[in-house]
Amino acid sequence: MIEGFVVSHLPPNCTAMTDSVSAQEQPQTAPVAPVAPAAPQAAPVPTEAAAVAVAASEPAALAEAGAPQRRQDGSRRGGRNRRKPEGRQAPQGRASADGAADAAAPAGGPGAGTRAPQRVHPALEQLAGLYPHLFGAVFRPLKRGIFQDILAAHPELFEREALKVALGLHTRSTRYLQSVAAGDKRHDLQGQPVEDMAPEHVHHALLEVYRRKKARATEDLLPKLRNRMMAAFEASGLTREAYTQLVLSRDEAANAILEEAFAEWSARNAKDEALLRAFEASGQTLDAFADMYGMVPRTVGQQLERARRRAAAAAAAVSAAPAVEPGDSAAAA
């Protein structure tokens, strides 16, 4: 389900973790006298749970940041008098915050702290240097078989398993999925478009990007998602039945969103067709027709163009259908 992908938050009646251990969790030992007087503006000590979470992802950064440690007697070293070091800047080069951690990134909200910068896989750094048009500031969808192409082009540079992991991180990143959701073509190592993106890949990338953004969005993103689904469907050139058969999944909530998008698409088509008939019957210019109904000429022009394209596509489909001879129909009867 879509909601299963949304990162959960604390319930409203649950008290958020503070910057110290609760009274029940405090060790029953005498406090250690501080070596130096407390600083007037000391930064709060992070919770033990937060320290463990950071240590699991960035052990080196945690050690450099001087995270509080427990002594064998249970007391904390440093305590509240320890100043928090100034934050470090993310390394220059290929952005790393868009990696696989995007899917598991905590939603922004009250009490959400600043995450340590994610490290970039070394192979991705190398790929960004070799192919900046694919792995650099702009991500492009990769052709199928790009893994073998890279190994063949650089047999001594990349270790097979490391390259496999790096490409997996890259293709699961939000930035890459956004390029797929945009319907861009797949590209080879030279940066040339070589094949169209499959409609089902575009559809599922749209859903995944929506899931990730929904976790930290403050607005309703469903209307935008439905509009993009309609645009992706129209760009596929498929019939509604053929498109539905390709993109349907076991996720009933995602399938329901698709049905809502189709319902909006059908209603919009009916309005466009009615507007086209009224415009053709009026005999007026576009500006005069729009002014008569209090509409924006540009919007009216877009609606009329959509209606004309659909009418042309329907006529082409009818002409392309095989003709049925009278004798054939009689024989079939």
Side-chain angles (χ1 to χ4, degrees), residues 17-249:
M17 290 191 298
T18 60
D19 59 352
S20 61
V21 182
S22 63
Q24 290 82 358
E25 297 175 342
Q26 289 286 356
Q28 303 299 322
T29 57
V32 179
V35 178
Q41 299 294 332
V45 178
T47 62
E48 183 178 0
V52 172
V54 176
S57 59
E58 292 290 349
L62 179 64
E64 293 176 1
Q69 303 176 350
R70 284 187 179 274
R71 296 179 179 177
Q72 293 182 354
D73 60 358
S75 61
R76 288 183 180 274
R77 179 175 296 143
R80 293 180 177 274
N81 296 331
R82 190 178 187 87
R83 287 185 177 272
K84 184 178 180 181
E86 296 183 0
R88 298 173 178 271
Q89 295 183 350
Q92 299 296 324
R94 184 185 186 277
S96 60
D98 58 290
D102 285 343
T114 302
R115 291 189 305 159
Q118 297 292 324
R119 292 177 176 175
V120 180
H121 194 284
L124 286 179
E125 289 281 12
Q126 292 176 302
L127 289 171
L130 291 169
Y131 305 105
H133 49 277
L134 297 178
F135 301 90
V138 177
F139 287 4
R140 299 288 189 192
L142 304 174
K143 70 178 286 287
R144 282 175 278 197
I146 200 78
F147 173 74
Q148 289 79 7
D149 293 348
I150 296 174
L151 284 180
H154 309 280
E156 304 298 330
L157 183 59
F158 294 102
E159 194 272 329
R160 185 181 184 88
E161 290 303 318
L163 179 61
K164 185 183 298 184
V165 171
L167 287 178
L169 292 172
H170 178 76
T171 55
R172 288 192 299 269
S173 69
T174 299
R175 287 176 60 196
Y176 183 85
L177 291 174
Q178 286 173 333
S179 70
V180 174
D184 198 3
K185 292 179 179 292
R186 293 183 179 273
H187 291 65
D188 60 15
L189 289 181
Q190 289 69 44
Q192 299 300 316
V194 293
E195 58 180 320
D196 292 330
M197 186 64 64
E200 60 270 27
H201 295 169
V202 176
H203 177 79
H204 294 307
L206 280 170
L207 285 171
E208 183 58 29
V209 172
Y210 162 76
R211 290 182 181 114
R212 296 184 185 186
K213 289 185 175 181
K214 186 178 186 297
R216 51 184 180 269
T218 57
E219 60 175 326
D220 184 10
L221 301 179
L222 272 176
K224 293 181 180 179
L225 175 62
R226 290 193 293 262
N227 284 334
R228 296 196 64 183
M229 280 183 171
M230 287 188 286
F233 161 61
E234 291 180 336
S236 71
L238 299 172
T239 64
R240 176 173 174 174
E241 292 74 17
Y243 186 85
T244 301
Q245 188 175 4
L246 276 177
V247 304
L248 278 184
S249 67

